[in-house]
Amino acid sequence: MATEDRDTAAGDRTSAAPTAAGARPSRVDRASAQSRIPADAGTAGRTTIAEGVVAKVAGIAAREVTGVYALGGGGARAFGALRDAVNATDLTQGVKVEVGETQAAADLTIVVEYPAPIQDVAANVRAAVSGAISSLVGLEVVEVNVAVNDVHLPSDGTDEEESRVS
């Protein structure tokens, strides 16, 4: 058992623990549910970063990308509109993360603003999220998956339909 612990701490991504049937193997070096950043050599202590923090950083970074209209699927966006109405915005909407000891992976669902090039927006989201997690949280980003759920068409600001006859 001591050998398995040393291998996991050294970054070995294989796990001796059995996985549930059909469960997806972890994409990160997960030893616990929360991230533990090693302390500097001259100081004592440990920094623990929760998955919710990493998800919030990823959500903020994705929303700042030009061409991203919203995050989340249709149901999540509808529920998010209710939260926004009561001033309780969820910055993690549409974001799922896996956090290990030194690595993180993120899955984002976005809505792209028409006519922004979808592949460019997705690549920019990937770069922004990876950069934000690396620089702000200090974790190595192993994967950022972007799912484009919808395209938002700009409205002309008028709710009335023009008459076909005059």
Side-chain angles (χ1 to χ4, degrees), residues 101-156:
E101 285 191 38
T102 59
Q103 298 176 329
D107 297 316
L108 293 96
T109 302
I110 66 171
V111 177
V112 175
E113 184 76 47
Y114 183 84
I118 295 173
Q119 289 296 335
D120 292 347
V121 172
N124 292 341
V125 166
R126 211 173 275 111
V129 168
S130 179
I133 292 173
S134 294
S135 65
L136 295 175
V137 183
L139 296 173
E140 174 192 0
V141 179
V142 294
E143 187 175 76
V144 177
N145 296 312
V146 178
V148 179
N149 187 305
D150 199 0
V151 174
H152 178 260
L153 300 173
S155 62
D156 60 354

Side-chain angles (χ1 to χ4, degrees), residues 59-125:
I60 292 169
R63 282 175 174 80
E64 291 177 348
V65 173
T66 303
V68 173
Y69 176 74
L71 268 66
R77 289 195 323 266
F79 190 63
L82 293 173
R83 279 194 304 266
D84 289 344
V86 295
N87 233 3
T89 303
D90 180 14
L91 296 174
T92 64
Q93 174 181 305
V95 180
K96 293 179 185 169
V97 297
E98 283 185 53
V99 179
E101 285 191 38
T102 59
Q103 298 176 329
D107 297 316
L108 293 96
T109 302
I110 66 171
V111 177
V112 175
E113 184 76 47
Y114 183 84
I118 295 173
Q119 289 296 335
D120 292 347
V121 172
N124 292 341
V125 166

